[in-house]
Amino acid sequence: MDQVKNYLLPPKAPREYGFFVDGRWHEGRDQFERLSPGHGVPVTRTAKCTPEDLNAAVVSARRAFEDRRWSGLSGAARGAVLLRVAEILRQRRDEIAYFETLENGKPIAQARGEIDHCIACFEVGAGAARLLHGDSYNSLGDGLFGMVLREPIGVVGLITPWNFPFLILCERVPFILASGCTMVVKPSEVTSATTLILAEVLAEAGLPDGVYNVITGSGRTIGQALTEHPDVDMLSFTGSTAVGRSCVHAAADSNFKKLGLELGGKNPIIVFADSDLEDAADGAAFGISFNTGQCCVSSSRLIVERSVAAEFEKLLAEKMARIRVGDPLDEATQVGAITTDQQNTTILDYIAKGKAEGAQLVAGGQAIDLGKGQYIAPTLFTGVSPDMAIARDEIFGPVLCSMSFDTIEQAIELANDTVYGLAASVWTKNIDKALTVTRRVRAGRFWVNTIMAGGPEMPLGGFKQSGWGREAGTYGVEEYTQVKSVHVEIGKRSHWIA
Ligand code: NAD
């Protein structure tokens, strides 16, 4: 990593990666070159895998699962490998953060914080491996004893998006490994480097060959083939709701593989007049600007009590104007680059649509020209009505829409007026309001007087069209198991034939 004072530089030449199958590196026939969205220079080259490469990866994962080289170990032995992974990640933290920033465009300081969270995921996964257990029924009468065993589901396909390439990976991999499963991972084609670095780390930590395989390539070819593969027992997909839908069809048309789906969101942040408005404005600015709003859990719909709406929007607009948008490799940057050209166009199109729909633009609303890369100012629209496209569609960018309410019932109705149900946040000093909203708004993750807080102990996942299943923590491990009921007769059988 080249560095000038407190400021990292992009690499002079892109780093090259093969793909990882059966504990070995392989070269791709073709390569994909990734330009950093913050600088426009080549930073990595990764393989464009073929369907044959995918098949080899599934064969490898299947073999590693069936011979029990991983699932046959004790939870303690699996946990020990996961703890070694955490230790190696600690040593390689800055390097992994650097490549995450280069490929994704997120600020380097944020990327380092994310790697710390990933280390914690492996530590929690290590504990979960040891604690995984089934159940027993001592209530079936003196002649029968019942046990419920948890068994790993088998070969897992894991498809991840580009917004948190390493974090989303690490909110899944330790828990899949804790359960005893093996896997084939397909990262987003624009952010594959850190998923490949994890292969090196897992191998060094002593993970047996064939347990973690990575194939790289486009979603339409390799991703789709993984969803359709008849020898994959479960697929964990994180990405858009549209592709999530195609995973459901692919599972139905192939082998009914179990699905875990973490999809889109249009998450409400509800601010009551009795909240600490300074805190709530800071939370709202963070909730929409963090990771340039390219978070599935970004709070993109502000629902604010009408009596304080004008005051709150003014406060928020002032705060948003002070956010430091800049080069992701600058330590001081709070908001970096938009990750893909396509996403940049989508966000700017939605800003234009918001203006055309008649919403008032009170902060941001334009691209920022830094002479290189692609940047968008954190944007606030007020006077938004619930039927506008900017209020309904997941924009996946730093664009916040403000709507107002008079009663708690209206706030709940507005919050639930979406096909999504991923996350929500409520700000009030009144415990009755906080708990009523928390109970009645349909979302898988809830924050009260805070936003995007949490650790890998807590489950992640969505209601409604935001997905199926839960990841992380003990709930996350259980997702990758299936239960088997075992009935044991005690003593002499009472005979059927007299
Ligand atoms: P995407 O759905 O386009 O791609 C996600 C992954 O799926 C990538 O690896 C991609 O290569 C692959 N893919 C694309 N087409 C595929 C197909 N037909 N079959 C199989 N795989 C395919 O999403 P994205 O643009 O990378 O990410 C943005 C979206 O992800 C947003 O909608 C966001 O809300 C969602 N997301 C959700 C969560 C969550 O936890 N719920 C987290 C992050 C992102």
Side-chain angles (χ1 to χ4, degrees), residues 159-160 162-163 168 186 188-189 219 223-224 237-240 262-264 296 394 396:
I159 299 180
T160 55
W162 46 252
N163 57 340
I168 287 176
K186 209 277 319 155
S188 166
E189 49 274 45
Q224 182 76 31
F237 170 82
T238 305
S240 59
E262 300 259 348
L263 310 173
C296 52
E394 182 188 48
F396 220 54

mmCIF file with all atom_site columns, all heavy atoms in Angstrom, residues 159-160 162-163 168 186 188-189 219 223-224 237-240 262-264 296 394 396, ligand 1:
data_model
loop_
_atom_site.group_PDB
_atom_site.id
_atom_site.type_symbol
_atom_site.label_atom_id
_atom_site.label_alt_id
_atom_site.label_comp_id
_atom_site.label_asym_id
_atom_site.label_entity_id
_atom_site.label_seq_id
_atom_site.pdbx_PDB_ins_code
_atom_site.Cartn_x
_atom_site.Cartn_y
_atom_site.Cartn_z
_atom_site.occupancy
_atom_site.B_iso_or_equiv
_atom_site.pdbx_formal_charge
_atom_site.auth_seq_id
_atom_site.auth_comp_id
_atom_site.auth_asym_id
_atom_site.auth_atom_id
_atom_site.pdbx_PDB_model_num
ATOM   1   N N   . ILE A 1 159 ? -24.439 -16.320 -2.398  1.00 0.00 ? 159 ILE A N   1
ATOM   2   C CA  . ILE A 1 159 ? -24.302 -15.242 -3.398  1.00 0.00 ? 159 ILE A CA  1
ATOM   3   C C   . ILE A 1 159 ? -24.401 -13.912 -2.669  1.00 0.00 ? 159 ILE A C   1
ATOM   4   O O   . ILE A 1 159 ? -25.364 -13.679 -1.927  1.00 0.00 ? 159 ILE A O   1
ATOM   5   C CB  . ILE A 1 159 ? -25.401 -15.357 -4.484  1.00 0.00 ? 159 ILE A CB  1
ATOM   6   C CG1 . ILE A 1 159 ? -25.270 -16.689 -5.222  1.00 0.00 ? 159 ILE A CG1 1
ATOM   7   C CG2 . ILE A 1 159 ? -25.303 -14.193 -5.466  1.00 0.00 ? 159 ILE A CG2 1
ATOM   8   C CD1 . ILE A 1 159 ? -26.312 -16.904 -6.327  1.00 0.00 ? 159 ILE A CD1 1
ATOM   9   N N   . THR A 1 160 ? -23.400 -13.058 -2.856  1.00 0.00 ? 160 THR A N   1
ATOM   10  C CA  . THR A 1 160 ? -23.341 -11.800 -2.093  1.00 0.00 ? 160 THR A CA  1
ATOM   11  C C   . THR A 1 160 ? -23.297 -10.582 -3.027  1.00 0.00 ? 160 THR A C   1
ATOM   12  O O   . THR A 1 160 ? -22.856 -10.685 -4.168  1.00 0.00 ? 160 THR A O   1
ATOM   13  C CB  . THR A 1 160 ? -22.096 -11.792 -1.193  1.00 0.00 ? 160 THR A CB  1
ATOM   14  O OG1 . THR A 1 160 ? -20.946 -12.019 -2.009  1.00 0.00 ? 160 THR A OG1 1
ATOM   15  C CG2 . THR A 1 160 ? -22.169 -12.849 -0.101  1.00 0.00 ? 160 THR A CG2 1
ATOM   16  N N   . TRP A 1 162 ? -22.522 -6.158  -3.803  1.00 0.00 ? 162 TRP A N   1
ATOM   17  C CA  . TRP A 1 162 ? -21.312 -5.330  -3.810  1.00 0.00 ? 162 TRP A CA  1
ATOM   18  C C   . TRP A 1 162 ? -21.280 -4.256  -2.739  1.00 0.00 ? 162 TRP A C   1
ATOM   19  O O   . TRP A 1 162 ? -20.301 -3.553  -2.581  1.00 0.00 ? 162 TRP A O   1
ATOM   20  C CB  . TRP A 1 162 ? -21.104 -4.670  -5.171  1.00 0.00 ? 162 TRP A CB  1
ATOM   21  C CG  . TRP A 1 162 ? -22.323 -4.032  -5.801  1.00 0.00 ? 162 TRP A CG  1
ATOM   22  C CD1 . TRP A 1 162 ? -23.010 -4.530  -6.881  1.00 0.00 ? 162 TRP A CD1 1
ATOM   23  C CD2 . TRP A 1 162 ? -23.008 -2.825  -5.433  1.00 0.00 ? 162 TRP A CD2 1
ATOM   24  N NE1 . TRP A 1 162 ? -24.084 -3.710  -7.195  1.00 0.00 ? 162 TRP A NE1 1
ATOM   25  C CE2 . TRP A 1 162 ? -24.100 -2.654  -6.319  1.00 0.00 ? 162 TRP A CE2 1
ATOM   26  C CE3 . TRP A 1 162 ? -22.811 -1.862  -4.435  1.00 0.00 ? 162 TRP A CE3 1
ATOM   27  C CZ2 . TRP A 1 162 ? -24.984 -1.575  -6.243  1.00 0.00 ? 162 TRP A CZ2 1
ATOM   28  C CZ3 . TRP A 1 162 ? -23.694 -0.786  -4.349  1.00 0.00 ? 162 TRP A CZ3 1
ATOM   29  C CH2 . TRP A 1 162 ? -24.752 -0.653  -5.247  1.00 0.00 ? 162 TRP A CH2 1
ATOM   30  N N   . ASN A 1 163 ? -22.372 -4.083  -1.975  1.00 0.00 ? 163 ASN A N   1
ATOM   31  C CA  . ASN A 1 163 ? -22.382 -2.922  -1.066  1.00 0.00 ? 163 ASN A CA  1
ATOM   32  C C   . ASN A 1 163 ? -21.576 -3.139  0.209   1.00 0.00 ? 163 ASN A C   1
ATOM   33  O O   . ASN A 1 163 ? -20.946 -2.208  0.708   1.00 0.00 ? 163 ASN A O   1
ATOM   34  C CB  . ASN A 1 163 ? -23.824 -2.492  -0.761  1.00 0.00 ? 163 ASN A CB  1
ATOM   35  C CG  . ASN A 1 163 ? -24.646 -3.597  -0.163  1.00 0.00 ? 163 ASN A CG  1
ATOM   36  O OD1 . ASN A 1 163 ? -24.325 -4.772  -0.290  1.00 0.00 ? 163 ASN A OD1 1
ATOM   37  N ND2 . ASN A 1 163 ? -25.725 -3.243  0.496   1.00 0.00 ? 163 ASN A ND2 1
ATOM   38  N N   . ILE A 1 168 ? -21.028 -8.670  4.608   1.00 0.00 ? 168 ILE A N   1
ATOM   39  C CA  . ILE A 1 168 ? -22.145 -9.597  4.360   1.00 0.00 ? 168 ILE A CA  1
ATOM   40  C C   . ILE A 1 168 ? -21.615 -11.030 4.279   1.00 0.00 ? 168 ILE A C   1
ATOM   41  O O   . ILE A 1 168 ? -22.225 -11.961 4.808   1.00 0.00 ? 168 ILE A O   1
ATOM   42  C CB  . ILE A 1 168 ? -22.923 -9.167  3.101   1.00 0.00 ? 168 ILE A CB  1
ATOM   43  C CG1 . ILE A 1 168 ? -23.732 -7.904  3.430   1.00 0.00 ? 168 ILE A CG1 1
ATOM   44  C CG2 . ILE A 1 168 ? -23.837 -10.278 2.586   1.00 0.00 ? 168 ILE A CG2 1
ATOM   45  C CD1 . ILE A 1 168 ? -24.492 -7.300  2.271   1.00 0.00 ? 168 ILE A CD1 1
ATOM   46  N N   . LYS A 1 186 ? -20.234 -17.151 -4.417  1.00 0.00 ? 186 LYS A N   1
ATOM   47  C CA  . LYS A 1 186 ? -20.135 -16.333 -5.637  1.00 0.00 ? 186 LYS A CA  1
ATOM   48  C C   . LYS A 1 186 ? -20.323 -14.870 -5.235  1.00 0.00 ? 186 LYS A C   1
ATOM   49  O O   . LYS A 1 186 ? -21.444 -14.415 -5.011  1.00 0.00 ? 186 LYS A O   1
ATOM   50  C CB  . LYS A 1 186 ? -21.206 -16.757 -6.642  1.00 0.00 ? 186 LYS A CB  1
ATOM   51  C CG  . LYS A 1 186 ? -20.854 -16.548 -8.070  1.00 0.00 ? 186 LYS A CG  1
ATOM   52  C CD  . LYS A 1 186 ? -21.030 -15.244 -8.744  1.00 0.00 ? 186 LYS A CD  1
ATOM   53  C CE  . LYS A 1 186 ? -22.136 -14.303 -8.616  1.00 0.00 ? 186 LYS A CE  1
ATOM   54  N NZ  . LYS A 1 186 ? -21.685 -12.915 -8.954  1.00 0.00 ? 186 LYS A NZ  1
ATOM   55  N N   . SER A 1 188 ? -20.156 -10.641 -5.767  1.00 0.00 ? 188 SER A N   1
ATOM   56  C CA  . SER A 1 188 ? -20.460 -9.754  -6.903  1.00 0.00 ? 188 SER A CA  1
ATOM   57  C C   . SER A 1 188 ? -19.214 -9.618  -7.779  1.00 0.00 ? 188 SER A C   1
ATOM   58  O O   . SER A 1 188 ? -18.092 -9.531  -7.274  1.00 0.00 ? 188 SER A O   1
ATOM   59  C CB  . SER A 1 188 ? -20.869 -8.381  -6.373  1.00 0.00 ? 188 SER A CB  1
ATOM   60  O OG  . SER A 1 188 ? -20.854 -7.452  -7.428  1.00 0.00 ? 188 SER A OG  1
ATOM   61  N N   . GLU A 1 189 ? -19.430 -9.565  -9.071  1.00 0.00 ? 189 GLU A N   1
ATOM   62  C CA  . GLU A 1 189 ? -18.299 -9.503  -10.008 1.00 0.00 ? 189 GLU A CA  1
ATOM   63  C C   . GLU A 1 189 ? -17.463 -8.237  -9.843  1.00 0.00 ? 189 GLU A C   1
ATOM   64  O O   . GLU A 1 189 ? -16.297 -8.210  -10.215 1.00 0.00 ? 189 GLU A O   1
ATOM   65  C CB  . GLU A 1 189 ? -18.780 -9.642  -11.458 1.00 0.00 ? 189 GLU A CB  1
ATOM   66  C CG  . GLU A 1 189 ? -19.946 -8.741  -11.869 1.00 0.00 ? 189 GLU A CG  1
ATOM   67  C CD  . GLU A 1 189 ? -21.330 -9.326  -11.548 1.00 0.00 ? 189 GLU A CD  1
ATOM   68  O OE1 . GLU A 1 189 ? -21.523 -9.844  -10.427 1.00 0.00 ? 189 GLU A OE1 1
ATOM   69  O OE2 . GLU A 1 189 ? -22.212 -9.239  -12.406 1.00 0.00 ? 189 GLU A OE2 1
ATOM   70  N N   . GLY A 1 219 ? -23.453 -12.471 -12.446 1.00 0.00 ? 219 GLY A N   1
ATOM   71  C CA  . GLY A 1 219 ? -24.649 -13.031 -11.838 1.00 0.00 ? 219 GLY A CA  1
ATOM   72  C C   . GLY A 1 219 ? -25.474 -13.808 -12.841 1.00 0.00 ? 219 GLY A C   1
ATOM   73  O O   . GLY A 1 219 ? -26.001 -14.875 -12.535 1.00 0.00 ? 219 GLY A O   1
ATOM   74  N N   . GLY A 1 223 ? -23.944 -16.928 -11.286 1.00 0.00 ? 223 GLY A N   1
ATOM   75  C CA  . GLY A 1 223 ? -24.908 -16.810 -10.177 1.00 0.00 ? 223 GLY A CA  1
ATOM   76  C C   . GLY A 1 223 ? -26.162 -17.614 -10.474 1.00 0.00 ? 223 GLY A C   1
ATOM   77  O O   . GLY A 1 223 ? -26.616 -18.419 -9.654  1.00 0.00 ? 223 GLY A O   1
ATOM   78  N N   . GLN A 1 224 ? -26.709 -17.408 -11.660 1.00 0.00 ? 224 GLN A N   1
ATOM   79  C CA  . GLN A 1 224 ? -27.933 -18.120 -12.052 1.00 0.00 ? 224 GLN A CA  1
ATOM   80  C C   . GLN A 1 224 ? -27.705 -19.640 -12.024 1.00 0.00 ? 224 GLN A C   1
ATOM   81  O O   . GLN A 1 224 ? -28.540 -20.395 -11.520 1.00 0.00 ? 224 GLN A O   1
ATOM   82  C CB  . GLN A 1 224 ? -28.338 -17.661 -13.466 1.00 0.00 ? 224 GLN A CB  1
ATOM   83  C CG  . GLN A 1 224 ? -29.619 -18.269 -13.991 1.00 0.00 ? 224 GLN A CG  1
ATOM   84  C CD  . GLN A 1 224 ? -30.874 -17.666 -13.367 1.00 0.00 ? 224 GLN A CD  1
ATOM   85  O OE1 . GLN A 1 224 ? -30.898 -16.507 -12.999 1.00 0.00 ? 224 GLN A OE1 1
ATOM   86  N NE2 . GLN A 1 224 ? -31.897 -18.490 -13.218 1.00 0.00 ? 224 GLN A NE2 1
ATOM   87  N N   . PHE A 1 237 ? -28.941 -16.086 -0.538  1.00 0.00 ? 237 PHE A N   1
ATOM   88  C CA  . PHE A 1 237 ? -28.782 -15.014 -1.516  1.00 0.00 ? 237 PHE A CA  1
ATOM   89  C C   . PHE A 1 237 ? -29.004 -13.666 -0.848  1.00 0.00 ? 237 PHE A C   1
ATOM   90  O O   . PHE A 1 237 ? -30.021 -13.467 -0.164  1.00 0.00 ? 237 PHE A O   1
ATOM   91  C CB  . PHE A 1 237 ? -29.782 -15.186 -2.675  1.00 0.00 ? 237 PHE A CB  1
ATOM   92  C CG  . PHE A 1 237 ? -29.811 -13.983 -3.582  1.00 0.00 ? 237 PHE A CG  1
ATOM   93  C CD1 . PHE A 1 237 ? -28.847 -13.827 -4.573  1.00 0.00 ? 237 PHE A CD1 1
ATOM   94  C CD2 . PHE A 1 237 ? -30.766 -12.987 -3.419  1.00 0.00 ? 237 PHE A CD2 1
ATOM   95  C CE1 . PHE A 1 237 ? -28.847 -12.694 -5.380  1.00 0.00 ? 237 PHE A CE1 1
ATOM   96  C CE2 . PHE A 1 237 ? -30.775 -11.856 -4.223  1.00 0.00 ? 237 PHE A CE2 1
ATOM   97  C CZ  . PHE A 1 237 ? -29.807 -11.711 -5.208  1.00 0.00 ? 237 PHE A CZ  1
ATOM   98  N N   . THR A 1 238 ? -28.098 -12.745 -1.035  1.00 0.00 ? 238 THR A N   1
ATOM   99  C CA  . THR A 1 238 ? -28.283 -11.373 -0.568  1.00 0.00 ? 238 THR A CA  1
ATOM   100 C C   . THR A 1 238 ? -28.142 -10.459 -1.767  1.00 0.00 ? 238 THR A C   1
ATOM   101 O O   . THR A 1 238 ? -27.108 -10.479 -2.458  1.00 0.00 ? 238 THR A O   1
ATOM   102 C CB  . THR A 1 238 ? -27.241 -11.001 0.501   1.00 0.00 ? 238 THR A CB  1
ATOM   103 O OG1 . THR A 1 238 ? -27.314 -11.958 1.551   1.00 0.00 ? 238 THR A OG1 1
ATOM   104 C CG2 . THR A 1 238 ? -27.516 -9.618  1.066   1.00 0.00 ? 238 THR A CG2 1
ATOM   105 N N   . GLY A 1 239 ? -29.176 -9.687  -2.035  1.00 0.00 ? 239 GLY A N   1
ATOM   106 C CA  . GLY A 1 239 ? -29.135 -8.796  -3.194  1.00 0.00 ? 239 GLY A CA  1
ATOM   107 C C   . GLY A 1 239 ? -30.514 -8.234  -3.451  1.00 0.00 ? 239 GLY A C   1
ATOM   108 O O   . GLY A 1 239 ? -31.318 -8.098  -2.529  1.00 0.00 ? 239 GLY A O   1
ATOM   109 N N   . SER A 1 240 ? -30.785 -7.950  -4.706  1.00 0.00 ? 240 SER A N   1
ATOM   110 C CA  . SER A 1 240 ? -32.029 -7.261  -5.036  1.00 0.00 ? 240 SER A CA  1
ATOM   111 C C   . SER A 1 240 ? -33.236 -8.197  -4.943  1.00 0.00 ? 240 SER A C   1
ATOM   112 O O   . SER A 1 240 ? -33.114 -9.413  -5.099  1.00 0.00 ? 240 SER A O   1
ATOM   113 C CB  . SER A 1 240 ? -31.939 -6.689  -6.450  1.00 0.00 ? 240 SER A CB  1
ATOM   114 O OG  . SER A 1 240 ? -31.709 -7.737  -7.354  1.00 0.00 ? 240 SER A OG  1
ATOM   115 N N   . GLU A 1 262 ? -32.016 -12.358 1.641   1.00 0.00 ? 262 GLU A N   1
ATOM   116 C CA  . GLU A 1 262 ? -31.922 -11.028 2.271   1.00 0.00 ? 262 GLU A CA  1
ATOM   117 C C   . GLU A 1 262 ? -31.987 -10.029 1.144   1.00 0.00 ? 262 GLU A C   1
ATOM   118 O O   . GLU A 1 262 ? -31.029 -9.900  0.376   1.00 0.00 ? 262 GLU A O   1
ATOM   119 C CB  . GLU A 1 262 ? -30.590 -10.876 2.998   1.00 0.00 ? 262 GLU A CB  1
ATOM   120 C CG  . GLU A 1 262 ? -30.376 -11.877 4.089   1.00 0.00 ? 262 GLU A CG  1
ATOM   121 C CD  . GLU A 1 262 ? -30.636 -11.287 5.457   1.00 0.00 ? 262 GLU A CD  1
ATOM   122 O OE1 . GLU A 1 262 ? -30.758 -10.048 5.546   1.00 0.00 ? 262 GLU A OE1 1
ATOM   123 O OE2 . GLU A 1 262 ? -30.720 -12.060 6.394   1.00 0.00 ? 262 GLU A OE2 1
ATOM   124 N N   . LEU A 1 263 ? -33.125 -9.326  1.043   1.00 0.00 ? 263 LEU A N   1
ATOM   125 C CA  . LEU A 1 263 ? -33.373 -8.545  -0.171  1.00 0.00 ? 263 LEU A CA  1
ATOM   126 C C   . LEU A 1 263 ? -33.437 -7.052  0.134   1.00 0.00 ? 263 LEU A C   1
ATOM   127 O O   . LEU A 1 263 ? -32.784 -6.572  1.037   1.00 0.00 ? 263 LEU A O   1
ATOM   128 C CB  . LEU A 1 263 ? -34.642 -9.075  -0.837  1.00 0.00 ? 263 LEU A CB  1
ATOM   129 C CG  . LEU A 1 263 ? -34.638 -10.616 -1.014  1.00 0.00 ? 263 LEU A CG  1
ATOM   130 C CD1 . LEU A 1 263 ? -35.979 -11.115 -1.509  1.00 0.00 ? 263 LEU A CD1 1
ATOM   131 C CD2 . LEU A 1 263 ? -33.519 -11.064 -1.946  1.00 0.00 ? 263 LEU A CD2 1
ATOM   132 N N   . GLY A 1 264 ? -34.228 -6.332  -0.642  1.00 0.00 ? 264 GLY A N   1
ATOM   133 C CA  . GLY A 1 264 ? -34.217 -4.877  -0.541  1.00 0.00 ? 264 GLY A CA  1
ATOM   134 C C   . GLY A 1 264 ? -34.988 -4.328  0.653   1.00 0.00 ? 264 GLY A C   1
ATOM   135 O O   . GLY A 1 264 ? -35.592 -5.071  1.427   1.00 0.00 ? 264 GLY A O   1
ATOM   136 N N   . CYS A 1 296 ? -28.880 -2.050  2.498   1.00 0.00 ? 296 CYS A N   1
ATOM   137 C CA  . CYS A 1 296 ? -30.234 -2.589  2.483   1.00 0.00 ? 296 CYS A CA  1
ATOM   138 C C   . CYS A 1 296 ? -31.038 -1.998  3.632   1.00 0.00 ? 296 CYS A C   1
ATOM   139 O O   . CYS A 1 296 ? -32.249 -1.880  3.537   1.00 0.00 ? 296 CYS A O   1
ATOM   140 C CB  . CYS A 1 296 ? -30.182 -4.101  2.559   1.00 0.00 ? 296 CYS A CB  1
ATOM   141 S SG  . CYS A 1 296 ? -29.184 -4.669  3.920   1.00 0.00 ? 296 CYS A SG  1
ATOM   142 N N   . GLU A 1 394 ? -36.896 1.380   -3.794  1.00 0.00 ? 394 GLU A N   1
ATOM   143 C CA  . GLU A 1 394 ? -35.590 1.375   -3.143  1.00 0.00 ? 394 GLU A CA  1
ATOM   144 C C   . GLU A 1 394 ? -34.594 2.062   -4.079  1.00 0.00 ? 394 GLU A C   1
ATOM   145 O O   . GLU A 1 394 ? -34.321 1.549   -5.165  1.00 0.00 ? 394 GLU A O   1
ATOM   146 C CB  . GLU A 1 394 ? -35.136 -0.057  -2.861  1.00 0.00 ? 394 GLU A CB  1
ATOM   147 C CG  . GLU A 1 394 ? -33.805 -0.076  -2.140  1.00 0.00 ? 394 GLU A CG  1
ATOM   148 C CD  . GLU A 1 394 ? -33.214 -1.463  -1.994  1.00 0.00 ? 394 GLU A CD  1
ATOM   149 O OE1 . GLU A 1 394 ? -33.164 -2.201  -2.992  1.00 0.00 ? 394 GLU A OE1 1
ATOM   150 O OE2 . GLU A 1 394 ? -32.780 -1.790  -0.882  1.00 0.00 ? 394 GLU A OE2 1
ATOM   151 N N   . PHE A 1 396 ? -31.407 3.037   -3.182  1.00 0.00 ? 396 PHE A N   1
ATOM   152 C CA  . PHE A 1 396 ? -30.070 2.512   -2.892  1.00 0.00 ? 396 PHE A CA  1
ATOM   153 C C   . PHE A 1 396 ? -29.012 3.588   -3.138  1.00 0.00 ? 396 PHE A C   1
ATOM   154 O O   . PHE A 1 396 ? -28.009 3.379   -3.821  1.00 0.00 ? 396 PHE A O   1
ATOM   155 C CB  . PHE A 1 396 ? -29.788 1.267   -3.743  1.00 0.00 ? 396 PHE A CB  1
ATOM   156 C CG  . PHE A 1 396 ? -29.057 0.188   -2.994  1.00 0.00 ? 396 PHE A CG  1
ATOM   157 C CD1 . PHE A 1 396 ? -29.542 -0.301  -1.794  1.00 0.00 ? 396 PHE A CD1 1
ATOM   158 C CD2 . PHE A 1 396 ? -27.873 -0.359  -3.483  1.00 0.00 ? 396 PHE A CD2 1
ATOM   159 C CE1 . PHE A 1 396 ? -28.871 -1.301  -1.097  1.00 0.00 ? 396 PHE A CE1 1
ATOM   160 C CE2 . PHE A 1 396 ? -27.198 -1.361  -2.797  1.00 0.00 ? 396 PHE A CE2 1
ATOM   161 C CZ  . PHE A 1 396 ? -27.712 -1.829  -1.596  1.00 0.00 ? 396 PHE A CZ  1
HETATM 162 P P1  . NAD B 2 .   ? -28.026 -7.923  -7.360  1.00 0.00 ? 1   NAD B P1  1
HETATM 163 O O1  . NAD B 2 .   ? -29.255 -8.668  -6.985  1.00 0.00 ? 1   NAD B O1  1
HETATM 164 O O2  . NAD B 2 .   ? -27.936 -7.371  -8.713  1.00 0.00 ? 1   NAD B O2  1
HETATM 165 O O3  . NAD B 2 .   ? -26.740 -8.837  -7.193  1.00 0.00 ? 1   NAD B O3  1
HETATM 166 C C1  . NAD B 2 .   ? -26.456 -9.540  -5.999  1.00 0.00 ? 1   NAD B C1  1
HETATM 167 C C2  . NAD B 2 .   ? -25.636 -10.755 -6.345  1.00 0.00 ? 1   NAD B C2  1
HETATM 168 O O4  . NAD B 2 .   ? -26.422 -11.601 -7.169  1.00 0.00 ? 1   NAD B O4  1
HETATM 169 C C3  . NAD B 2 .   ? -24.355 -10.481 -7.124  1.00 0.00 ? 1   NAD B C3  1
HETATM 170 O O5  . NAD B 2 .   ? -23.354 -11.409 -6.724  1.00 0.00 ? 1   NAD B O5  1
HETATM 171 C C4  . NAD B 2 .   ? -24.766 -10.754 -8.552  1.00 0.00 ? 1   NAD B C4  1
HETATM 172 O O6  . NAD B 2 .   ? -23.683 -11.138 -9.379  1.00 0.00 ? 1   NAD B O6  1
HETATM 173 C C5  . NAD B 2 .   ? -25.724 -11.903 -8.364  1.00 0.00 ? 1   NAD B C5  1
HETATM 174 N N1  . NAD B 2 .   ? -26.728 -12.053 -9.419  1.00 0.00 ? 1   NAD B N1  1
HETATM 175 C C6  . NAD B 2 .   ? -27.172 -11.131 -10.320 1.00 0.00 ? 1   NAD B C6  1
HETATM 176 N N2  . NAD B 2 .   ? -28.083 -11.678 -11.132 1.00 0.00 ? 1   NAD B N2  1
HETATM 177 C C7  . NAD B 2 .   ? -28.241 -12.970 -10.732 1.00 0.00 ? 1   NAD B C7  1
HETATM 178 C C8  . NAD B 2 .   ? -29.069 -14.039 -11.173 1.00 0.00 ? 1   NAD B C8  1
HETATM 179 N N3  . NAD B 2 .   ? -29.927 -13.920 -12.183 1.00 0.00 ? 1   NAD B N3  1
HETATM 180 N N4  . NAD B 2 .   ? -28.987 -15.215 -10.513 1.00 0.00 ? 1   NAD B N4  1
HETATM 181 C C9  . NAD B 2 .   ? -28.155 -15.362 -9.466  1.00 0.00 ? 1   NAD B C9  1
HETATM 182 N N5  . NAD B 2 .   ? -27.332 -14.405 -9.024  1.00 0.00 ? 1   NAD B N5  1
HETATM 183 C C10 . NAD B 2 .   ? -27.390 -13.199 -9.647  1.00 0.00 ? 1   NAD B C10 1
HETATM 184 O O7  . NAD B 2 .   ? -27.851 -6.825  -6.220  1.00 0.00 ? 1   NAD B O7  1
HETATM 185 P P2  . NAD B 2 .   ? -26.690 -5.768  -6.075  1.00 0.00 ? 1   NAD B P2  1
HETATM 186 O O8  . NAD B 2 .   ? -26.958 -4.730  -7.117  1.00 0.00 ? 1   NAD B O8  1
HETATM 187 O O9  . NAD B 2 .   ? -25.361 -6.410  -6.028  1.00 0.00 ? 1   NAD B O9  1
HETATM 188 O O10 . NAD B 2 .   ? -26.996 -5.221  -4.603  1.00 0.00 ? 1   NAD B O10 1
HETATM 189 C C11 . NAD B 2 .   ? -27.970 -4.274  -4.362  1.00 0.00 ? 1   NAD B C11 1
HETATM 190 C C12 . NAD B 2 .   ? -29.237 -4.906  -3.835  1.00 0.00 ? 1   NAD B C12 1
HETATM 191 O O11 . NAD B 2 .   ? -28.954 -5.813  -2.774  1.00 0.00 ? 1   NAD B O11 1
HETATM 192 C C13 . NAD B 2 .   ? -30.186 -3.911  -3.228  1.00 0.00 ? 1   NAD B C13 1
HETATM 193 O O12 . NAD B 2 .   ? -31.488 -4.158  -3.676  1.00 0.00 ? 1   NAD B O12 1
HETATM 194 C C14 . NAD B 2 .   ? -30.104 -4.150  -1.730  1.00 0.00 ? 1   NAD B C14 1
HETATM 195 O O13 . NAD B 2 .   ? -31.204 -3.811  -0.987  1.00 0.00 ? 1   NAD B O13 1
HETATM 196 C C15 . NAD B 2 .   ? -29.811 -5.588  -1.677  1.00 0.00 ? 1   NAD B C15 1
HETATM 197 N N6  . NAD B 2 .   ? -29.102 -5.910  -0.438  1.00 0.00 ? 1   NAD B N6  1
HETATM 198 C C16 . NAD B 2 .   ? -29.785 -6.526  0.566   1.00 0.00 ? 1   NAD B C16 1
HETATM 199 C C17 . NAD B 2 .   ? -29.147 -6.821  1.747   1.00 0.00 ? 1   NAD B C17 1
HETATM 200 C C18 . NAD B 2 .   ? -29.868 -7.479  2.875   1.00 0.00 ? 1   NAD B C18 1
HETATM 201 O O14 . NAD B 2 .   ? -29.224 -7.934  3.809   1.00 0.00 ? 1   NAD B O14 1
HETATM 202 N N7  . NAD B 2 .   ? -31.174 -7.570  2.842   1.00 0.00 ? 1   NAD B N7  1
HETATM 203 C C19 . NAD B 2 .   ? -27.818 -6.509  1.909   1.00 0.00 ? 1   NAD B C19 1
HETATM 204 C C20 . NAD B 2 .   ? -27.156 -5.881  0.873   1.00 0.00 ? 1   NAD B C20 1
HETATM 205 C C21 . NAD B 2 .   ? -27.820 -5.607  -0.307  1.00 0.00 ? 1   NAD B C21 1
#
